[in-house]
Amino acid sequence: MMPREYARSQRVADLLQREIALLLQKETSFREAGLITVSFVDVSPDLRNADVFFTCLQPACAEEVIVDLLNERAGHLRHLLAQILPLRAVPQLTFRFDHSLNRANRLIELIDSVSQTK
């Protein structure tokens, strides 16, 4: 028997990432948050919960406000996902701001500042 290339939770995470990104583009109620990119989805092994990590592509992004907005409407998104996904049960969604892009930019700035002083 050949091992599966991806665990089921990873396949569900990839599917959720793609569909949530599309829903956030299409749904007018989410456009007020600006341009949002879903960077990563982490699904629990039992497929009951999913942490959805996102970033904003505008410089003055009010991340706390957008996190609150998305978490308030997570139930609505889950309902929409249940209508289009071939899953028995759609995981509970929790939205979290992805700070990795900010950390990467900060590291680049630090490296640049060190290389300029030499």
Side-chain angles (χ1 to χ4, degrees):
M1 185 172 177
M2 302 242 344
R4 291 186 176 170
E5 192 170 327
Y6 295 107
R8 182 156 195 248
S9 62
Q10 184 58 49
R11 292 191 312 267
V12 170
D14 292 343
L15 181 64
L16 285 172
Q17 180 178 357
R18 185 172 45 252
E19 293 301 326
I20 290 170
L22 289 172
L23 284 175
L24 290 176
Q25 287 177 356
K26 291 179 186 176
E27 287 290 309
T28 57
S29 60
F30 298 106
R31 286 191 192 147
E32 64 196 53
L35 187 57
I36 295 174
T37 301
V38 179
S39 56
F40 180 72
V41 176
D42 183 26
V43 177
S44 65
D46 63 3
L47 305 178
R48 291 185 181 183
N49 299 297
D51 289 329
V52 181
F53 294 89
F54 70 93
T55 59
C56 297
L57 297 180
Q58 56 224 48
C61 177
E63 64 187 66
E64 296 87 15
V65 173
I66 296 173
V67 167
D68 290 342
L69 172 74
L70 291 173
N71 282 318
E72 284 173 12
R73 298 183 183 167
H76 175 66
L77 271 175
R78 186 173 182 234
H79 173 74
L80 294 174
L81 289 168
Q83 294 176 346
I84 58 176
L85 294 180
L87 299 175
R88 184 180 302 169
V90 175
Q92 293 285 335
L93 304 175
T94 303
F95 287 88
R96 301 181 190 285
F97 191 81
D98 184 2
H99 294 279
S100 62
L101 185 62
N102 295 342
R103 286 191 294 262
N105 287 336
R106 179 67 181 134
L107 281 173
I108 290 170
E109 289 173 6
L110 288 171
I111 291 169
D112 287 346
S113 68
V114 169
S115 64
Q116 289 176 0
T117 59
K118 289 184 176 186

